[in-house]
Structure formats: C-alpha cells, structure tokens
C-alpha cells in the first residue's frame, strides 16, 4: 500500500506536469547576448566542463532534484540514472528525508547507483535534518555532493508541512563536517542577496538560487489544500535571473548554481554568463520523461550539449570562465529591479 508520504511524492510529479507550461518566465527573455562577428575559435576547442568545489562536472547542466520515495518515482529515478549515465551529466535525486523515516524506501533512491555506477550523483534532504541524517543520505547513494533544500514557503503552503524554521545552525554544522560539496538550495522561490550573505557568513561555499519562473510549488501545494485558499501566494519569490543578479552583488559570493525555469541551451548559457558555475533542470526534464522514451531524451540532451557548444563558439568563449566574463544586455524591468534592490 502507498503511504501518505509516498503519495505526496507521486502528487508532486503529477501536479508539476499538470502545471507545466512553456515558455517559462524565469526572465531569461529579458536578457540578451551581444553578437560578435569574429569568434576566432574552433568549435572543437570548446571545453564546457565545470567545478562545484573540487567536484568536476563534465557538462555544466544536470538533472535537478525531483524523484524517489515511492514505487512510481523509483522507476523515474531508474530512468533518469540511465539517461545521466548515457549522456555524462550529473543527477540529483529528490529529497531522501522520506527514506530516513521509512527504510523500505531506501531502494527508491539507491537504484540510481545500479544504473549510474560512476557518474556524479547528488544527495538531497531538507534543512530540518541533523548531521547524522546527512551522513546517512550521502551513504545511501554513495553521493558525490549533498544538496540541502530550504523551502519555507512550500512547507507553509503544504497542508502537512513544517511550521518551524530554525535551519542555519544545523546547516553550518553539516557544512563544517563534510569534505564533499554541500549545496544549499531553494526550490523555485529564488534567493535574495541577504540570504546569500547569511549563508556565506555561515561558511557555505555553494548555493543553488533555484528561482521562480519554472516549476511553481506554491501552485502545487495550493492545489493540494482542500480550499486552495493561499492562491494569492502563487507568484511569491524572485525569478532565476533576478536571483542570479542578487548573487552577483554579494562580495566574494559563494559558487552559484542556477535552476528554475531552465528550458533551452540558450537559458543555460545566459545563466552561466550571469555567474552560475552549473545549471540544474527539473521540470523540463520531468516533462521529457513523461512524454518520451529514454533513447529520445538521450538524443535531446546530446542536442542540448551540442547547442551549448554552438552558442559558446558564436560568443568566442572557450570555457565556462570565458562565458562568465561576457556582458549581457538587460531590459528595462531588470534595470529597474537592480536599481530598487541596490545591486551592482
Ligand atoms: C522538485 N524539486 C525538489 N527540490 C528539492 O530540493 N528536493 C525535492 O525533493 C524536490 N522535489 C521535486 C519534485 C518535482 C516533481 C519537481 C518538478 C521539483 C524542486 C526542483 O529541484 C527545482 O528546484 C525546482 O523545480 C525549479 O526548477 P525547474 O523545475 O523550474 O527546472
């Protein structure tokens, strides 16, 4: 029988797909590259590998945290792991908090290692867990990194969610303990410079701003409420582009991961240019998973990889560092945002 918690994992998948829409509004359309006519570069010289701390990613985009915790999402994890393995991209699993409470669900996550033995796999849990729990989730999938998600709006809108949010001390203790990269991650609400500064002060070295504009957990959790009474919170948070601008304004900011509403290699390139070291893709990946075979998705991801190299070549950028030095044009709305937030 499916437990209440496993049922929630299935609902997140079906509701994320129900509310899937394109084009997304993470503000990437408000950002433009400047075309350069003399790239002086050969496409075959492009190296888009990147680092999160000391962890090397062969490709700068990866499958962001979504699945595990039920029989249905175990199957999705198995497919994602096969896809990650075939394309050489990293993958994060969904929150393993559920498997800490019910050990019969461990295999819904550990199956990833069956299909992606040597790839980069990222563990995931909520910020309410202890250091002991963090050690367990990393071990559960022999993870190369750990994402700790911070998701106060989602919990508060979720009928059965947490109501107490003292997270920072715990996050710091976990971060201090581990040698492997610890990533503090939002879930689609974005981050402000004040949040990033607090994380930096706590010693955090990698932050995933996960902004608004793609999967919308306010909408998803509202739909799960009997009266859907918190509908007016559906637009809460900063977009991914706004969050990246916030991050750049923090002096000696942590390494940044962008996620939230990423749907094309052009979005990926813009996110990297706005200072991200890597880019996570969740909702778009789930949509592909539901509508395509593994082989079709592998083909699409390879097309994305080729597309990103084409964009880098057009810009004359040999590597991610070159891309991060490119200047972008921002539209009036973003300029207004920058002015009001006193950033840059
Ligand atoms: C998520 N996301 C998520 N994040 C996390 O840290 N732990 C989790 O367990 C989940 N679960 C989850 C389930 C489903 C079905 C989706 C679509 C997403 C959030 C995800 O990692 C990401 O931060 C946001 O979805 C924004 O990115 P996209 O979806 O707009 O690319």
């Amino acid at each position: 029988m499916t437990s209440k918690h496993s049922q929630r994992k299935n609902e997140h998948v079906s509701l994320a797909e129900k509310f899937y829409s394109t084009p997304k509004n993470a503000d990437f359309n408000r950002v433009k590259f400047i075309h350069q006519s003399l790239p002086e570069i050969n496409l075959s010289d492009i190296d888009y590998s990147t680092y999160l701390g000391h962890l090397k990613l062969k490709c700068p985009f990866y499958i962001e945290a979504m699945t595990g915790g039920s029989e249905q999402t175990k199957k999705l994890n198995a497919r994602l792991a096969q896809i990650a393995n075939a394309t050489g991209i990293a993958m994060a699993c969904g929150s393993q908090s559920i498997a800490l409470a019910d050990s019969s669900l461990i295999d819904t996550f550990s199956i990833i290692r069956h299909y992606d033995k040597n790839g980069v796999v990222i563990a995931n849990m909520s910020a309410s867990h202890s250091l002991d729990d963090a050690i367990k989730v990393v071990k559960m999938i022999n993870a190369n990194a750990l994402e700790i998600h911070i998701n106060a709006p989602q919990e508060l809108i979720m009928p059965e969610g947490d109501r107490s949010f003292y997270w920072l001390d715990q996050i710091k203790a976990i971060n201090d303990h581990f040698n492997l990269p610890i990533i503090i991650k939002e879930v689609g609400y974005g981050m402000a410079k004040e949040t990033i500064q607090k994380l930096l002060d706590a010693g955090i070295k990698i932050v995933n701003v996960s902004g608004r504009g793609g999967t919308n957990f306010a909408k998803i959790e509202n739909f799960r409420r009997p009266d859907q009474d918190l509908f007016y919170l559906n637009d809460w948070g900063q977009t991914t582009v706004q969050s990246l601008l916030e991050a750049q304004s923090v002096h000696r900011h942590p390494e940044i991961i962008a996620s939230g509403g990423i749907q094309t290699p052009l979005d990926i390139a813009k996110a990297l240019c706005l200072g991200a070291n890597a880019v996570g893709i969740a909702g778009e990946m789930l949509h592909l998973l539901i509508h395509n075979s593994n082989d079709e998705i592998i083909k699409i991801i390879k097309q994305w990889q080729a597309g990103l190299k084409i964009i880098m070549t057009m810009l004359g950028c040999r590597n991610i560092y070159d891309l991060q030095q490119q200047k972008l044009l921002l539209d009036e709305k973003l300029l207004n945002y920058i002015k009001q937030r006193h950033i840059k």
Side-chain angles (χ1 to χ4, degrees):
M1 219 188 70
T2 310
S3 77
K4 196 173 71 190
H5 299 298
S6 291
Q7 181 56 27
R8 179 171 76 227
K9 298 294 161 183
N10 294 343
E11 283 175 14
H12 283 168
V13 166
S14 59
L15 291 174
E17 178 59 14
K18 178 182 167 71
F19 294 126
Y20 171 88
S21 67
T22 186
K24 309 209 185 296
N25 43 8
D27 277 346
F28 286 103
N29 60 334
R30 301 190 180 285
V31 173
K32 300 270 185 261
F33 281 113
I34 318 282
H35 169 61
Q36 299 293 346
S37 306
L38 290 168
E40 297 294 313
I41 197 170
N42 183 328
L43 189 142
S44 64
D45 291 339
I46 304 287
D47 173 7
Y48 62 19
S49 62
T50 189
Y51 283 90
L52 294 175
H54 57 76
L55 181 65
K56 184 172 182 174
L57 305 187
K58 281 189 266 180
C59 171
F61 64 85
Y62 67 92
I63 299 167
E64 193 51 276
M66 288 186 285
T67 44
S70 66
E71 276 311 306
Q72 184 196 331
T73 55
K74 174 183 174 179
K75 289 184 190 133
L76 297 179
N77 264 347
R79 288 186 60 198
L80 288 171
Q82 289 168 65
I83 291 162
N85 183 53
T87 54
I89 66 175
M91 95 170 255
C93 65
S95 175
Q96 295 157 264
S97 303
I98 191 169
L100 290 170
D102 178 353
S103 60
S104 72
L105 295 170
I106 288 177
D107 71 333
T108 69
F109 297 97
S110 58
I111 192 159
I112 292 170
R113 276 301 181 201
H114 179 75
Y115 291 105
D116 193 11
K117 289 197 171 49
N118 303 315
V120 171
V121 175
I122 306 172
N124 185 291
M125 68 172 198
S126 101
S128 58
H129 287 287
S130 64
L131 172 58
D132 277 357
D133 286 344
I135 293 168
K136 283 183 197 152
V137 297
V138 166
K139 208 169 155 208
M140 196 185 292
I141 57 169
N142 190 18
N144 305 93
L146 168 64
E147 288 179 340
I148 299 177
H149 63 260
I150 50 177
N151 62 340
Q154 179 187 9
E155 294 292 340
L156 286 163
I157 301 171
M158 189 189 300
E160 71 279 34
D162 290 343
R163 298 292 181 256
S164 173
F165 304 100
Y166 296 104
W167 284 335
L168 208 47
D169 288 348
Q170 198 96 295
I171 286 174
K172 185 172 168 9
I174 295 169
N175 189 63
D176 288 348
H177 171 83
F178 278 100
N179 275 329
L180 86 185
I182 303 294
I183 302 159
I184 308 303
K185 168 181 181 297
E186 252 294 350
V187 299
Y189 297 103
M191 278 195 205
K193 61 182 175 180
E194 295 84 358
T195 304
I196 296 168
Q197 185 66 56
K198 279 187 195 166
L199 291 170
L200 185 67
D201 293 345
I204 301 305
K205 300 205 169 52
I206 313 174
V207 165
N208 182 338
V209 296
S210 198
R212 176 164 63 80
T215 302
N216 183 333
F217 268 100
K219 241 180 179 171
I220 291 173
E221 298 300 354
N222 246 314
F223 193 84
R224 297 181 62 247
R225 291 177 77 82
D227 298 325
Q228 298 179 26
D229 52 315
L230 293 174
F231 62 91
Y232 46 81
L233 295 178
N234 282 358
D235 277 339
W236 192 267
Q238 288 83 249
T239 66
T240 304
V241 169
Q242 289 169 346
S243 304
L244 290 168
L245 293 169
E246 296 267 352
Q248 279 190 330
S249 76
V250 176
H251 183 55
R252 301 173 75 90
H253 60 75
E255 289 178 14
I256 300 296
I257 301 175
S259 66
I262 308 277
Q263 58 182 347
T264 67
L266 189 59
D267 296 341
I268 295 168
K270 288 176 182 175
L272 295 167
C273 188
L274 286 164
N277 278 21
V279 173
I281 307 173
E284 194 63 31
M285 220 39 107
L286 181 67
H287 183 68
L288 289 178
L289 212 51
I290 289 171
H291 296 279
N292 297 275
S293 68
N294 284 11
D295 283 347
E296 285 165 340
I297 299 170
I298 289 165
K299 185 175 168 195
I300 291 168
I301 290 177
K302 287 185 175 167
Q303 285 169 345
W304 287 354
Q305 289 171 324
L308 182 57
K309 286 190 176 174
I310 286 172
I311 294 167
M312 290 176 72
T313 306
M314 292 197 302
L315 292 166
C317 294
R318 208 166 289 274
N319 51 41
I320 300 299
Y321 176 80
D322 286 352
L323 199 50
Q324 289 170 336
Q325 308 312 308
Q326 289 280 309
K327 291 272 174 278
L328 284 163
L329 282 181
L330 308 182
D331 82 352
E332 285 291 324
K333 283 209 167 149
L334 287 176
L335 290 177
N336 183 22
Y337 182 88
I338 286 172
K339 199 167 140 203
Q340 290 195 45
R341 289 289 294 150
H342 305 288
I343 52 185
K344 268 268 164 105

